[in-house]
Amino acid sequence: MPSPEPISRHSRLAWLLSDLAVPIYLLQGLWTRIRTPRLAPPPGRTGGRLNGRGAEISLLVIGDSTVHGVGTDRQHDTLAPSIARRLQDMTSRPVRWRANGFNGSVIREITESVVPNLPHGGWSHIILSVGHNDAKNFHTRRRFVRDLTRLIFAVKARFPDAKIYWGSLLDFRKMPNLPEPLATIIDLRADTLSRVGWSICREQGVTVLPAIDLVLPDHFSRDGFHAGPVGYNVWARHIAEHIARAEFIPPSDHRTHVPDAPALAVREERSGP
């Protein structure tokens, strides 16, 4: 199913406006970085399996601090296992999952240091949660195109049979810790990179997941930047619903497969670290 082009949050002059605002970005960004608490990723295993019936869904989630689980106190509440629980709940299939993320990493670092060391295992679905740090660090459009393209090439070469998804960048203005005008300056960048990323993914056969707005205060961790347990759960439901509807649930059943609460009753058999 083709991914619809993301709706722009800003005008086509967003990139130029963000370039003009670099002095503000540098000064206010430094002040924000100094006052923001540094959170460590939670302890716990980063892989597991949920029992079910039918063919197994094998899920590999690759990315930055969002995959590393920064903002939570335990791995159980992070993005990858939350997606796995949602997929199991919606499809009743067994789901094997693995998370490989590193705090603060940009796309190039994921390609060079993570992908070559990924576990083999015949993954059926791979989610790329990357790009937020590239936008936050003010990477150029040319660099973003090069880095995202190389990452997709590397993942496809290593796992040619996997269905690959990339998540559009979140709206930085929704993050409580980012003051104005800094939040808008970064989001001008992120909005443009989301549209650039959509074009790259369309060319490379990667499905783009639409961005979700984490708009409620309890969706965020105490640093006001990363998601907290509630935010990861909402985000995971958003991702799982799009995957399930696109691949596993008949269109006539879409309305009857939207759970209101996380599936917590499924027994999980954890794998190695």
Side-chain angles (χ1 to χ4, degrees):
M1 180 184 298
S3 305
E5 184 174 5
I7 299 174
S8 178
R9 299 188 291 267
H10 304 283
S11 74
R12 293 291 177 175
L13 297 176
W15 195 265
L16 174 61
L17 294 174
S18 69
D19 280 342
L20 294 175
V22 166
I24 300 174
Y25 162 81
L26 293 174
L27 292 174
Q28 198 172 27
L30 178 61
W31 174 76
T32 302
R33 184 179 181 87
I34 291 173
R35 70 179 181 85
T36 301
R38 299 286 292 176
L39 303 182
R45 297 183 181 273
T46 56
R49 188 178 189 276
L50 304 174
N51 292 332
R53 301 182 303 276
E56 179 184 78
I57 299 171
S58 51
L59 174 70
L60 177 63
V61 186
I62 309 169
D64 47 34
S65 56
T66 58
V67 180
H68 212 176
V70 174
T72 66
D73 295 326
R74 56 179 189 161
Q75 284 290 336
H76 178 83
D77 297 323
T78 60
L79 186 62
S82 297
I83 296 173
R85 289 193 297 272
R86 288 292 186 174
L87 280 174
Q88 199 283 337
D89 188 56
M90 285 185 252
T91 66
S92 298
R93 296 191 181 197
V95 181
R96 176 169 55 92
W97 63 273
R98 174 85 183 200
N100 282 83
F102 290 90
N103 194 5
S105 56
V106 295
I107 295 175
R108 180 178 177 179
E109 293 168 334
I110 296 294
T111 304
E112 294 179 349
S113 300
V114 176
V115 175
N117 298 296
L118 288 172
H120 294 283
W123 306 102
S124 61
H125 295 76
I126 298 176
I127 297 174
L128 306 177
S129 181
V130 298
H132 290 93
N133 287 324
D134 301 76
K136 177 174 66 69
N137 294 350
F138 248 54
H139 286 187
T140 65
R141 181 162 32 192
R142 181 177 180 179
R143 179 176 177 178
F144 184 82
V145 169
R146 179 197 66 196
D147 290 350
L148 184 58
T149 301
R150 287 179 177 176
L151 173 60
I152 293 172
F153 283 176
V155 172
K156 278 181 168 287
R158 190 169 176 84
F159 307 106
D161 298 324
K163 176 72 174 179
I164 303 175
Y165 290 83
W166 176 69
S168 296
L169 304 186
L170 303 178
D171 189 339
F172 279 78
R173 297 171 299 174
K174 304 297 184 181
M175 300 176 182
N177 186 55
L178 294 182
E180 290 292 354
L182 178 64
T184 295
I185 292 171
I186 297 177
D187 195 61
L188 290 169
R189 209 82 171 180
D191 186 46
T192 300
L193 294 184
S194 279
R195 287 186 276 109
V196 170
W198 174 83
S199 296
I200 296 171
C201 290
R202 182 182 58 175
E203 294 171 359
Q204 302 304 327
V206 173
T207 302
V208 177
L209 297 164
I212 184 173
D213 289 333
L214 301 181
V215 294
L216 300 179
D218 66 344
H219 287 178
F220 291 89
S221 64
R222 62 184 178 88
D223 70 357
F225 184 78
H226 294 94
V230 175
Y232 280 124
N233 182 56
V234 172
W235 196 359
R237 180 177 61 188
H238 173 77
I239 293 173
E241 285 177 359
H242 278 84
I243 294 176
R245 290 178 175 181
E247 299 189 42
F248 302 110
I249 300 175
S252 59
D253 294 342
H254 280 180
R255 291 190 176 183
T256 63
H257 286 78
V258 182
D260 294 320
L264 301 178
V266 180
R267 183 170 70 88
E268 181 173 351
E269 298 176 350
R270 296 196 175 189
S271 67

